[in-house]
Amino acid sequence: MNIAKAPQLIRTTGLGSCVGVVLFDERKQISGMAHVMLPNSELTRVKPINKAKYADTAIPLLLENLIKWGAGAHEVKAKIAGGSQMFQFAGGNEMMRVGPRNVEAVKKELDRLHIRLVAEDTGGNKGRTIEFNPQTAELSIKTIDMGIYVI
Amino acid sequence: MNFEQNFTSFHLDILKEVGNIGAGNAATAMSQLLNKPIEMKVPSVKIVNFEEITELVGGPETVVSSVFLRIEGDAPGSMFFMLPVKQAKRLSRDLIGEELAARSEHAFSELAISALQEAGNIIAGSYLSSLADFTKLNVEPSPPALSIDMAGAILSFGLLELSRAGDHAIVINTTFIDQSEHLAHEIQGYFFLLPDPDSFKKIFQALGVPLDE
């Protein structure tokens, strides 16, 4: 989990079933990124939990940090990317569907915190590297087949 | 499970031996498949955090062809057989011939993909069956799945079970080398064996060296 102010960029590489969640205050040009691996902290088997990994703990923590850095609580918006299903199996158990489940859990949490989701590039079966520029609020996404595009 | 506290170097050496036997059989299978000598390096066993694991294949954005198998049975876990994309191209050419394999830089023909999938299945299957013989554990592979994409995106999927129990993985990693080619053309493949947290206890117990708790 990282915070960046313009002109810094914030980036995470090789997202598969994980979801990159960017929260940002466009006016103040502050942003933060969380790397959500699993939908729910109840899935953990150890204490203390690593809050940065779960949708239901990482997003509130990121919001809190962003506000500490000076973001306006009601100004914060979100862009998300990731949540692929990297491997296709016949049948397949619930764990195989973790990408889509992560996306659902992230959206639910954003909703609960009244954070508006302004753009997303989720699902599919491709890995993504993402980079956010707090100055322009653009999230650029790179995949191996489609090159770089911006949301 | 806290790997660093519970594991001695002795335990890591045993895992290395497991990797050695598995990969030795897999190398033989690969060599029969390609009809040329394939050698393997001595496996390495490392306790790594999740960020470090992709460094083993050249970083999270390195494009690899990866066969993934879920290990089911007594000691569940995940297994990957990875080839850098250039080497996957070579392998698919070796298997089905130049014209059928060719398409664009990253894209593989349908036939090349199923050839890679099947090769991965044979190689990983022989690794796993020697693991089963050695430990006398009942372990079976799920049907294989293939993905050609960024190493980070692929490996993180195999870390899901482990990530529920911590932020580290024990990686048993073996590298293959195709000795019949010039050094610059060698096929280098990577095996990743990622047992689930509870499986370590079972593997060590089966081998007669239980973990101290």
Side-chain angles (χ1 to χ4, degrees):
Chain A
M1 186 174 295
N2 285 307
I3 306 278
K5 279 187 177 177
Q8 289 173 314
L9 302 175
I10 195 163
R11 173 183 160 89
T12 189
T13 50
L15 282 174
S17 56
C18 300
V19 177
V21 180
V22 178
L23 299 186
F24 62 100
D25 179 333
E26 200 167 355
R27 211 164 42 85
K28 301 237 174 76
Q29 303 191 346
I30 305 172
S31 66
M33 194 185 284
H35 188 135
V36 169
M37 246 184 129
L38 291 164
N40 195 313
S41 57
E42 280 163 22
L43 289 166
T44 191
R45 305 168 2 148
V46 282
K47 303 274 177 223
I49 67 164
N50 178 351
K51 287 189 179 177
K53 283 198 305 208
Y54 306 94
D56 63 328
T57 51
I59 298 172
L61 186 64
L62 181 60
L63 181 63
E64 194 184 308
N65 284 341
L66 215 55
I67 291 169
K68 242 182 246 168
W69 276 64
H74 301 287
E75 302 295 318
V76 174
K77 293 176 199 160
K79 291 190 178 185
I80 64 173
S84 281
Q85 191 171 348
M86 298 303 296
F87 293 95
Q88 309 297 324
F89 287 94
N93 64 30
E94 266 303 282
M95 213 55 180
M96 300 301 174
R97 276 196 68 252
V98 71
R101 281 173 59 204
N102 278 336
V103 175
E104 279 163 35
V106 163
K107 286 183 180 172
K108 200 173 134 200
E109 194 58 27
L110 291 174
D111 210 40
R112 193 182 71 79
L113 297 166
H114 306 293
I115 300 171
R116 196 154 72 87
L117 176 63
V118 292
E120 67 172 301
D121 178 48
T122 56
N125 58 3
K126 286 291 155 201
R128 296 171 174 91
T129 283
I130 63 173
E131 189 174 75
F132 187 78
N133 182 343
Q135 203 163 358
T136 58
E138 284 179 341
L139 183 65
S140 72
I141 297 158
K142 186 168 92 182
T143 69
I144 65 163
D145 287 340
M146 290 183 287
I148 297 173
Y149 50 95
V150 172
I151 62 168
Chain B
M1 168 170 310
N2 188 328
F3 293 136
E4 266 131 31
Q5 274 172 17
N6 289 335
F7 279 52
T8 63
S9 62
F10 179 58
H11 286 112
L12 292 181
D13 279 345
I14 288 171
L15 290 178
K16 199 182 273 188
E17 189 52 27
V18 168
N20 209 0
I21 291 171
N25 276 280
T28 309
M30 196 168 168
S31 150
Q32 282 165 357
L33 190 69
L34 294 171
N35 197 22
K36 57 184 171 187
I38 301 287
E39 298 206 356
M40 54 171 266
K41 289 189 176 166
V42 176
S44 72
V45 175
K46 285 188 188 129
I47 301 175
V48 294
N49 71 36
F50 291 168
E51 280 91 54
E52 288 165 344
I53 186 167
T54 54
E55 297 305 325
L56 298 170
V57 290
E61 287 191 282
T62 307
V63 179
V64 294
S65 154
S66 176
V67 171
F68 170 73
L69 300 168
R70 187 71 197 147
I71 302 168
E72 288 153 1
D74 292 340
S78 296
M79 177 183 257
F80 294 92
F81 175 58
M82 288 195 169
L83 289 168
V85 76
K86 256 191 198 155
Q87 273 131 33
K89 282 253 144 171
R90 283 191 71 76
L91 180 61
S92 65
R93 279 204 298 268
D94 285 350
L95 291 167
I96 59 172
E98 189 82 40
E99 277 137 54
L100 289 173
R103 245 174 82 184
S104 63
E105 193 200 343
H106 287 313
F108 286 73
S109 67
E110 289 283 312
L111 192 64
I113 286 175
S114 58
L116 286 173
Q117 189 161 332
E118 197 44 38
N121 194 22
I122 291 168
I123 294 162
S126 64
Y127 189 119
L128 206 56
S129 66
S130 69
L131 180 64
D133 287 347
F134 183 55
T135 57
K136 306 278 180 254
L137 288 168
N138 172 31
V139 285
E140 278 173 23
S142 72
L146 183 95
S147 174
I148 296 162
D149 213 308
M150 302 176 192
I154 288 173
L155 272 171
S156 63
F157 186 77
L159 297 174
L160 288 174
E161 279 299 328
L162 283 164
S163 74
R164 296 170 57 188
D167 298 312
H168 288 80
I170 292 191
V171 183
I172 305 167
N173 180 20
T174 315
T175 309
F176 283 120
I177 294 168
D178 175 353
Q179 294 287 8
S180 66
E181 301 283 345
H182 297 297
L183 220 55
H185 294 299
E186 66 183 23
I187 285 191
Q188 215 165 32
Y190 305 87
F191 251 116
F192 288 91
L193 182 63
L194 300 165
D196 288 354
D198 294 339
S199 299
F200 287 105
K201 211 195 261 180
K202 288 180 192 142
I203 292 171
F204 288 128
Q205 212 143 34
L207 295 172
V209 280
L211 281 174
D212 298 327
E213 299 271 337

